[in-house]
Amino acid sequence: MVPRTNAPIHPDSTHSTLHLANALWRVRRPKPFVLVIEGEVKDFDDQEAAPPCDYLHDKLLLPEWREAFYQLVDATGLVVCLNVHTQHPSYRDVRGRSSKGRLSQSEYYHHDGCTGPVKPRFVEIRCPIQPQTRGVATAVAPHRDVVKAMVQVLPAELAATAALATQDMSPETIHHMDGAALDHLQGLITRTVRKKLNAEGARSYFRQVDAAANAYFEPWALGESRFIANANSNATLQHRRAYQAPHTGGVANGHLVKRWTNEELPLPGQVVDQALIAALCSEEGDEAEGAEGCYLGAH
């Protein structure tokens, strides 16, 4: 059963509380699809903030509470956990780099694991506590809202291209599309943008998409984990690396790590499907020259 708060949480910065994993958490909901967990209520009673701790693995992801937390992610879309200090060995560096003249695949809105028959339930991306802050945003928004926004801000000359001119891109049609149809239309638009716009033109387009989709792209805090529903009949989201200004390179920037927590953090008695993980990881390499990634290619 999905845990409940002790009061309705509205899409603003008002704090409320959430009872989960035999603890009371201070939370807020900045957007309808986002729940931010700031820490345990008891840690905010003193004047000085409590030091970061590993409440993810020590409480929320304990075997007896894990599924309840996962269902919270399923029901919400994006659950943000702040002020977490962990050195759990299951995290790995986020791969892929951007250049001034070419977008990384991670700069396009995408699901994780979109080429395989089995997609991760959600992806956890975190900003470890480190000397350098993270200056590049990660935009996150519901899949359908992203596709609607991509159509809404699409330049007329791109909508008139052969690949898109025959597509029914009306809001009513998009509203009734299933996930596969959304993926197909999104792939057509993404490939068109990629081919017709230069790098900064494409980045500017996706900044407009971020705004039109009401994406969450708050700056990363050190010690923050974001659990993003990735393959979900209720609240499937997409994410992307989002430069909010022209990408000129040469700027020091904190790194991110990630894992597919549901698939890579086994419960007692479970075994990680290494073949699945290897297949998912194979999608994450830098884009080969002349090759198209899974969400740039046909769906």
Side-chain angles (χ1 to χ4, degrees):
M1 179 177 293
V2 176
R4 297 182 180 275
T5 56
N6 70 344
I9 302 178
H10 301 289
D12 56 30
S13 295
T14 302
H15 288 98
S16 186
T17 56
L18 170 73
H19 190 268
L20 177 63
N22 204 28
L24 196 62
W25 305 90
R26 180 163 127 160
V27 300
R28 55 186 168 86
R29 178 157 253 172
K31 292 182 182 293
F33 59 90
V34 183
L35 181 70
V36 178
I37 300 175
E38 297 185 344
E40 287 194 69
V41 169
K42 66 180 180 62
D43 292 333
F44 292 89
D45 292 340
D46 299 327
Q47 292 297 321
E48 295 184 5
C53 63
D54 193 0
Y55 66 78
L56 267 181
H57 299 93
D58 293 343
K59 292 195 174 180
L60 294 178
L61 293 177
L62 287 176
E64 61 265 37
W65 304 114
R66 191 177 302 178
E67 182 58 28
F69 177 67
Y70 286 177
Q71 288 184 26
L72 179 65
V73 179
D74 290 339
T76 304
L78 169 62
V79 173
V80 178
C81 296
L82 299 179
N83 209 33
V84 175
H85 179 58
T86 182
Q87 295 180 329
H88 198 279
S90 59
Y91 295 103
R92 62 189 176 282
D93 286 339
V94 170
R95 293 194 276 177
R97 292 173 294 178
S98 301
S99 68
K100 290 180 287 184
R102 186 183 183 90
L103 271 68
S104 161
Q105 290 185 15
S106 63
E107 290 186 68
Y108 302 99
Y109 274 103
H110 63 282
H111 314 283
D112 270 29
C114 58
T115 60
V118 179
K119 298 174 175 60
R121 184 173 178 179
F122 49 79
V123 56
E124 178 192 353
I125 306 174
R126 69 174 276 103
C127 185
I129 294 175
Q130 57 192 299
Q132 179 64 52
T133 58
R134 175 75 177 176
V136 180
T138 298
V140 187
H143 186 200
R144 193 178 309 277
D145 292 351
V146 169
V147 178
K148 286 181 179 179
M150 290 176 70
V151 171
Q152 178 183 333
V153 304
L154 188 67
E157 60 271 22
L158 269 61
T161 59
L164 296 175
T166 59
Q167 299 295 314
D168 183 352
M169 299 189 290
S170 67
E172 179 68 16
T173 297
I174 295 173
H175 178 74
H176 290 99
M177 283 182 174
D178 61 15
L182 289 171
D183 278 341
H184 177 73
L185 177 58
Q186 184 177 33
L188 292 175
I189 298 172
T190 298
R191 291 198 300 280
T192 301
V193 168
R194 181 176 185 254
K195 291 175 181 177
K196 299 295 184 180
L197 300 181
N198 63 24
E200 283 310 312
R203 290 187 175 110
S204 177
Y205 167 76
F206 278 105
R207 283 193 285 272
Q208 295 178 62
V209 174
D210 294 341
N214 192 29
Y216 182 85
F217 52 85
E218 293 297 316
W220 280 98
L222 298 181
E224 172 183 356
S225 270
R226 299 182 183 179
F227 291 82
I228 305 168
N230 180 69
N232 187 305
S233 61
N234 181 60
T236 296
L237 271 62
Q238 289 189 318
H239 59 285
R240 76 177 195 95
R241 179 187 301 168
Y243 292 93
Q244 296 304 303
H247 178 43
T248 56
V251 178
N253 197 41
H255 73 283
L256 300 177
V257 297
K258 69 178 287 186
R259 67 182 174 187
W260 298 294
T261 316
N262 181 60
E263 289 76 21
E264 294 188 273
L265 196 64
L267 289 164
Q270 291 182 336
V271 177
V272 175
D273 185 343
Q274 296 295 345
L276 171 63
I277 301 306
L280 295 173
C281 286
S282 70
E283 295 183 359
E284 297 188 311
D286 290 337
E287 184 180 354
E289 188 66 32
E292 292 193 335
C294 55
Y295 39 90
L296 302 178
H299 284 77

